[in-house]
Amino acid sequence: MTVYYESTILRAGEEAQDMVDGGVVILYADPIPDALESVSVVHSPAAKPEREVRVGDIFRLGDAEIELTAVGERAHENLQTLGHIVVYLNPDEGTTLLPGAVHGRGTVSLPAAGATLTLSGGSTT
Amino acid sequence: MTETHTTRAVFVRPGEGGWGKGLLLRADGKRDKVLSVTGGGIHPVAARIAELTGAEAVDGFHTSVPDDEVVAAVINCGGTARIGVYPRKGLPTVDVYPGAPGGPLAKFITEELFVSAVGVKEVTEADSETGTVPPKVPPRAERPSARDVAATVTGGQSTGFGRAFDSVSGVFVKFGSGVGSFVNTMLASGRQTVELTLTTILPFMAYVSLLLGIVNYTGIARGIANVLSPIASNPLGLVVISLVVSLPFLSPILGPGAAIAQVVGTLMGSQIAIGALPVQYALPTLFAINGQVGCDFIPVGLALGEAKPETVAVGTPAVLISRLITAPLAVIIAWGASFGL
């Protein structure tokens, strides 16, 4: 398992808790428009992702570990350009995978400022 | 900042595979900025809307603009956040991707506020006489909280009968998708088998048939066998035979038809049977006359293992040359193992 994306959580918008309770985590890198800030968790990535996001990768947010079960076709592009990724936790069978989203198994609580966010998986080839 | 507010209107229609009926946008008074929330600066669509309405295009990631100054938000959204956040604020939203309402904020994404799959050519000047009524947004209190809408997406809220029904139907859904994935797996494996047979195994059979024809017609293998058989009656001769049959340029053509094994094997067998040769010769001979076995199959074996063409190109000579080393060794080891028979 190699970490290919690492970032630090800066803050969470006022509605981010509601989103997380509903099983959706919306992440955006700083800087971010106010409109998006309210529903998002804002973070500050150390560098661009070293490779594309793949099914089976592990997404760590603070202490939580999420195994990704599906990856939308535009998820990587969003992560690369905006540090933006949307994680749907334990979605029901048959939930449509939106292009910018990833689905994962696990539980997450709203991360505190300063928490670490990483994406790790197989080799970076 | 431009101070000239021409109130030209533009009509933004949905593009190929897009959603919505189209939006009529205009800049007026305070409302004079097109928000580009696409990352990577101002999107050409935002620039075009700004140009035609006389508004100013602003990168939403670096500049914050009050809602009442926004003509429209241009997004390139993968379906969750931006696609819903801007319509929720009551701002006309133009998606450059062919998105449709989805995600936790789907209910805010309406035809009056949202249009998708928009390219520069979908932005056209409109008749500015037709006034547009700015879309109405329900007051904050009437809007469902993000928690409710998020829950509707991931299915986090149902009670009593609903929960029971959900769990029963969930069992059926799980069972159904289980059956579906089983059938899919079987189908895929069948497809792969047929494909492998057609693309690898059948051509290989044709190639071996050709080789066999050439070898039998020219009698090359039989000739070599006849040359080699006299030296088979001593151990050193057996080592030489194993070396000859495993020569990298000979072994692939000596494999099909097994002429060497037939000629030399029969000869040695009968010699041992009548007592002309000691029985210790049996095992070394077996190894000596079979040095070429499988050499014609290497490229196919590699292909069956789904090796890349480069791997086949490197792997085939590697195995052929290693055979040149291991074949005589096998004869010597067999010789050593035959003492005391």
Side-chain angles (χ1 to χ4, degrees), chain B residues 66 76 107 116 120 140 147 160 185-186 213 236 282 324:
Chain B
N76 59 346
K107 64 184 311 266
S116 72
V120 174
R140 195 76 190 91
R147 178 194 303 251
T185 309
M186 290 293 136
L236 207 61
L324 190 61

Side-chain angles (χ1 to χ4, degrees), chain B:
Chain B
M1 283 295 293
T2 49
E3 283 304 314
T4 51
H5 292 309
T6 47
T7 57
R8 280 178 302 167
V10 297
F11 186 71
V12 182
R13 64 175 183 273
E16 188 77 28
W19 190 89
K21 285 184 185 162
L23 301 174
L24 192 63
L25 304 173
R26 63 166 64 231
D28 54 1
K30 225 171 104 178
R31 203 175 278 277
D32 64 352
K33 295 189 181 60
V34 177
L35 206 53
S36 181
V37 201
T38 50
I42 307 285
H43 194 278
V45 169
R48 181 72 179 152
I49 295 172
E51 179 194 347
L52 291 180
T53 55
E56 181 193 2
V58 177
D59 184 344
F61 277 98
H62 297 108
T63 320
S64 116
V65 179
D67 291 359
D68 57 7
E69 292 180 17
V70 176
V71 175
V74 176
I75 60 171
N76 59 346
C77 179
T80 302
R82 282 167 286 174
I83 199 171
V85 164
Y86 291 100
R88 184 170 68 163
K89 289 164 153 282
L91 298 175
T93 305
V94 176
D95 194 345
V96 302
Y97 289 140
L105 304 166
K107 64 184 311 266
F108 301 108
I109 305 167
T110 60
E111 285 179 341
E112 296 79 51
L113 283 172
F114 182 77
V115 62
S116 72
V118 175
V120 174
K121 65 179 192 305
E122 272 75 37
V123 181
T124 49
E125 284 193 67
D127 183 3
S128 58
E129 295 309 305
T130 54
T132 58
V133 184
K136 289 195 186 61
V137 190
R140 195 76 190 91
E142 286 176 32
R143 297 187 230 161
S145 77
R147 178 194 303 251
D148 295 346
V149 268
T152 58
V153 179
T154 48
Q157 47 149 198
S158 53
T159 48
F161 174 74
R163 187 176 293 255
F165 179 78
D166 280 354
S167 64
V168 169
S169 68
V171 168
F172 288 128
V173 168
K174 274 201 172 57
F175 181 76
S177 61
V179 168
S181 82
F182 173 77
V183 169
N184 265 336
T185 309
M186 290 293 136
L187 202 61
S189 60
R191 192 175 291 132
Q192 216 163 9
T193 307
V194 170
E195 202 172 308
L196 203 63
T197 309
L198 284 177
T199 56
T200 309
I201 297 174
L202 287 179
F204 171 66
M205 288 166 79
Y207 145 76
V208 171
S209 309
L210 172 79
L211 213 50
L212 206 53
I214 292 172
V215 168
N216 279 342
Y217 182 77
T218 56
I220 178 169
R222 199 156 284 274
I224 293 174
N226 291 333
V227 170
L228 290 178
S229 47
I231 61 169
S233 51
N234 73 69
L236 207 61
L238 288 176
V239 174
V240 173
I241 289 178
S242 71
L243 269 171
V244 171
V245 297
S246 59
L247 283 171
F249 56 90
L250 278 180
S251 55
I253 55 167
L254 294 176
I260 302 253
Q262 282 178 38
V263 174
V264 182
T266 315
L267 176 85
M268 297 295 285
S270 56
Q271 294 290 313
I272 292 168
I274 60 172
L277 284 174
V279 76
Q280 287 94 314
Y281 275 67
L283 195 59
T285 306
L286 181 70
F287 281 96
I289 61 181
N290 285 315
Q292 78 288 356
V293 167
C295 285
D296 52 347
F297 182 74
I298 299 159
V300 186
L302 285 166
L304 282 174
E306 295 187 348
K308 295 192 177 78
E310 302 86 51
T311 316
V312 176
V314 175
T316 309
V319 178
L320 290 179
I321 289 162
S322 72
R323 189 56 73 82
L324 190 61
I325 299 160
T326 57
L329 268 179
V331 176
I332 293 161
I333 292 167
W335 183 253
S338 301
F339 281 108
L341 275 175

Side-chain angles (χ1 to χ4, degrees), chain A residues 5-13 25-49 59 61 75-86 117 119, chain B residues 37-40 59-63 81-82 86:
Chain A
Y5 188 71
E6 197 164 358
S7 183
T8 314
I9 303 299
L10 300 175
R11 58 192 182 274
V25 187
I26 301 174
L27 288 146
Y28 265 105
D30 212 34
I32 170 173
D34 300 347
L36 293 172
E37 173 127 7
S38 66
V39 293
S40 306
V41 174
V42 187
H43 64 107
S44 159
K48 296 273 184 214
F59 171 86
L61 187 56
H76 176 66
E77 188 190 326
N78 281 343
L79 189 64
Q80 183 129 16
T81 52
L82 302 170
H84 169 45
I85 193 161
V86 182
L117 152 73
L119 274 161
Chain B
V37 201
T38 50
D59 184 344
F61 277 98
H62 297 108
T63 320
R82 282 167 286 174
Y86 291 100

